[in-house]
Amino acid sequence: DPIIRRLSEEGERFGKYCQSLFPHGVEINPIRVTKKKNDAVVKDKLHIEGEEFVGDRVALTRRALLGEDESDIQRVTLFEGAVTNGNFYVQPDILDKIVHLPQHNENQYDTNGEYSTDHRIELRVIEVKSKSWDSRQSIDSKMWNANKKSIKANHLPNLLDVAFQTLVVRRAFPNFRVTSWLMMPDKAKVWKAPSSDKRIKTDPPPTVADTQSLIKESVAVLLNVDELVEKALATNVTYPGSENGNTFQRVVEKWAQDMNGEDLSNDKFKHFPIGANCGSCEYRLIDDDIDKNSGFDVCWSKTTGLSKEELRSHPLVIDLFDTPKRTINNLISQKKYFLSNLEASDLQPQNEKNKKNSRVNIESPGEKISGSQRQWYQVLTA
């Protein structure tokens, strides 16, 4: 889909733009490094020598963040670093390790009177999103529902994304104070060409204040979403086939255990709850390359018994224009998976089904086309 491809490209461009606001940052990219006889040739900015593959993203990320001593580097910023814990794997857009100097705040000392490294070393998990934000609005008004009882639905996917990353990074680096951030385009700002005489030094790394200054002058905004992430992790979630009373944290743990500890050919995986929600599945392929597999094909093939070729060759009911989820789910329950399976009566509103001559007619000139007529036209032309 060219529109989806364009949105993806714009998202990548904004991601690179955000990286430029951390000029000292290092992209985690495993490469081979070599060492000559008299001098070392190091190519990865992490100053790792020797003739070898320097390891995978996880090893490089951990080595860069921890170093010889967890607190020996004041500022480390990584792009596309990778973190694992048990069956979990995340690759945050930006990881920003900051060592804060003691402020003699009583809350920063443990029960023995020692300065707490949990408060001194902060590791920011920054998720870059191309969804726009308006800094003239507050987080409370835009992301929270009334009295902060729940998160607004339009922001929930992005917050669950950063919440999962935060969960994994916390478990992997328990001695760090892990905080959660979203970085988005700010439509309240107007882009200005950067001043040529204003340069940020990268050695030593810039301070947090330097970075904040760069972001302030950019068209991006950096939002702390710690409170929202805590709510997301502790809130019960529902999804097709879910059980009541499970928090997001418990759900992802169960998924990871199932996917990593069981044979996917096992009976417990033979039924995937499909429905109207599949219309927005990001793992669906609609291209002509039938050799490629997708998660969407797996779910629908195992549930319906249809082949990947059949699913790709005919429009599905989930593609029906402006149709209530309840209607689509009802059609799927009747095993009407394709638009070609539908009859005109399937698309009529319930209050019209008993009316005389209520059959959908798209060939009536001069009449304003109704929603059901538009849907039937889509069926006939599919």
Side-chain angles (χ1 to χ4, degrees):
D1 189 322
I3 296 178
I4 299 298
R5 187 180 302 113
R6 177 63 183 272
L7 290 174
S8 176
E9 291 171 353
E10 290 300 315
E12 291 178 5
R13 286 180 58 190
F14 183 68
K16 291 296 183 183
Y17 175 78
C18 290
Q19 289 182 5
S20 72
L21 302 176
F22 299 83
H24 61 291
V26 176
E27 183 170 359
I28 297 297
N29 183 22
I31 60 173
R32 179 188 288 274
V33 297
T34 58
K35 183 177 181 181
K36 294 183 178 179
K37 287 184 178 180
N38 298 323
D39 60 322
V41 178
V42 182
K43 300 179 180 178
D44 68 319
K45 295 185 180 180
L46 292 178
H47 308 293
I48 303 169
E49 301 179 7
E51 175 138 3
E52 59 179 349
F53 282 105
V54 295
D56 59 17
R57 289 182 185 274
V58 175
L60 284 176
T61 301
R62 193 166 189 84
R63 189 183 307 183
L65 290 175
L66 297 181
E68 297 297 328
D69 179 347
E70 292 184 3
S71 60
D72 66 348
I73 300 177
Q74 185 173 2
R75 184 89 182 273
V76 174
T77 303
L78 306 177
F79 308 137
E80 304 297 335
V83 179
T84 60
N85 179 263
N87 291 324
F88 293 147
Y89 174 94
V90 295
Q91 196 168 306
D93 293 322
I94 301 174
L95 285 169
D96 194 11
K97 175 188 174 185
I98 302 166
V99 179
H100 297 282
L101 297 177
Q103 299 297 317
H104 303 293
N105 185 323
E106 63 179 7
N107 293 327
Q108 294 180 327
Y109 291 84
D110 61 24
T111 55
N112 296 319
E114 299 291 335
Y115 186 75
S116 172
T117 58
D118 288 345
H119 289 276
R120 184 158 58 96
I121 305 175
E122 178 187 2
L123 183 56
R124 295 184 174 185
V125 176
I126 303 175
E127 178 67 11
V128 177
K129 295 295 184 184
S130 56
K131 180 182 178 68
S132 63
W133 179 259
D134 189 340
S135 59
R136 293 166 295 192
Q137 308 269 344
S138 68
I139 290 179
D140 286 358
S141 64
K142 296 296 290 184
M143 291 190 177
W144 286 104
N145 286 317
N147 300 321
K148 292 188 176 182
K149 290 185 177 180
S150 60
I151 300 169
K152 290 186 176 179
N154 60 326
H155 288 287
L156 186 58
N158 288 345
L159 289 165
L160 289 176
D161 193 348
V162 71
F164 177 61
Q165 295 183 37
T166 298
L167 172 67
V168 178
V169 174
R170 276 181 184 169
R171 293 182 177 185
F173 298 97
N175 292 330
F176 293 165
R177 178 169 61 89
V178 179
T179 56
S180 311
W181 304 76
L182 284 176
M183 199 166 191
M184 298 181 287
D186 188 352
K187 60 185 179 182
K189 295 181 179 180
V190 178
W191 185 84
K192 297 178 181 179
S195 174
S196 59
D197 61 346
K198 186 169 184 178
R199 301 179 184 275
I200 300 295
K201 295 181 179 180
T202 59
D203 189 17
T207 65
V208 176
D210 290 332
T211 301
Q212 290 173 336
S213 178
L214 272 181
I215 295 173
K216 184 177 181 181
E217 296 182 5
S218 74
V219 294
V221 63
L222 184 62
L223 302 175
N224 178 261
V225 290
D226 284 343
E227 189 177 7
L228 288 149
V229 162
E230 295 306 319
K231 182 68 174 179
L233 290 173
T235 299
N236 291 345
V237 296
T238 58
Y239 56 92
S242 65
E243 298 176 359
N244 294 330
N246 280 335
T247 63
F248 174 74
Q249 186 169 329
R250 176 68 189 108
V251 166
V252 295
E253 288 172 346
K254 183 178 184 301
W255 285 350
Q257 182 180 5
D258 289 344
M259 297 301 291
N260 289 277
E262 297 284 348
D263 181 359
L264 288 182
S265 64
N266 191 287
D267 287 343
K268 70 183 292 186
F269 292 101
K270 284 187 177 179
H271 174 71
F272 294 83
I274 61 174
N277 54 290
C278 298
S280 59
C281 179
E282 60 185 299
Y283 301 107
R284 184 183 182 187
L285 297 178
I286 314 180
D287 54 40
D288 296 329
D289 190 351
I290 204 64
D291 292 331
K292 291 182 179 179
N293 293 316
S294 75
F296 181 91
D297 293 333
V298 172
C299 289
W300 275 68
S301 293
K302 285 186 175 293
T303 301
T304 66
L306 298 167
S307 67
K308 176 172 62 176
E309 291 76 12
E310 290 175 301
L311 292 170
R312 301 264 191 101
S313 59
H314 303 287
L316 302 174
V317 293
I318 57 174
D319 302 318
L320 198 56
F321 167 79
D322 196 25
T323 306
K325 291 184 177 181
R326 182 173 59 182
T327 300
I328 291 179
N329 290 334
N330 183 48
L331 293 172
I332 290 175
S333 69
Q334 299 176 49
K335 298 186 178 181
K336 294 185 177 183
Y337 304 125
F338 301 110
L339 293 185
S340 58
N341 298 143
L342 302 184
E343 299 176 359
S345 58
D346 291 323
L347 305 177
Q348 290 175 273
Q350 190 64 37
N351 60 355
E352 294 183 5
K353 285 191 175 181
N354 296 324
K355 290 183 180 180
K356 187 177 181 180
N357 300 323
S358 62
R359 181 177 176 82
V360 175
N361 181 10
I362 66 168
E363 299 178 355
S364 300
E367 293 184 7
K368 182 179 179 180
I369 189 170
S370 67
S372 54
Q373 288 173 322
R374 167 66 179 83
Q375 293 162 352
W376 185 238
Y377 180 80
Q378 183 181 355
V379 171
L380 293 179
T381 57

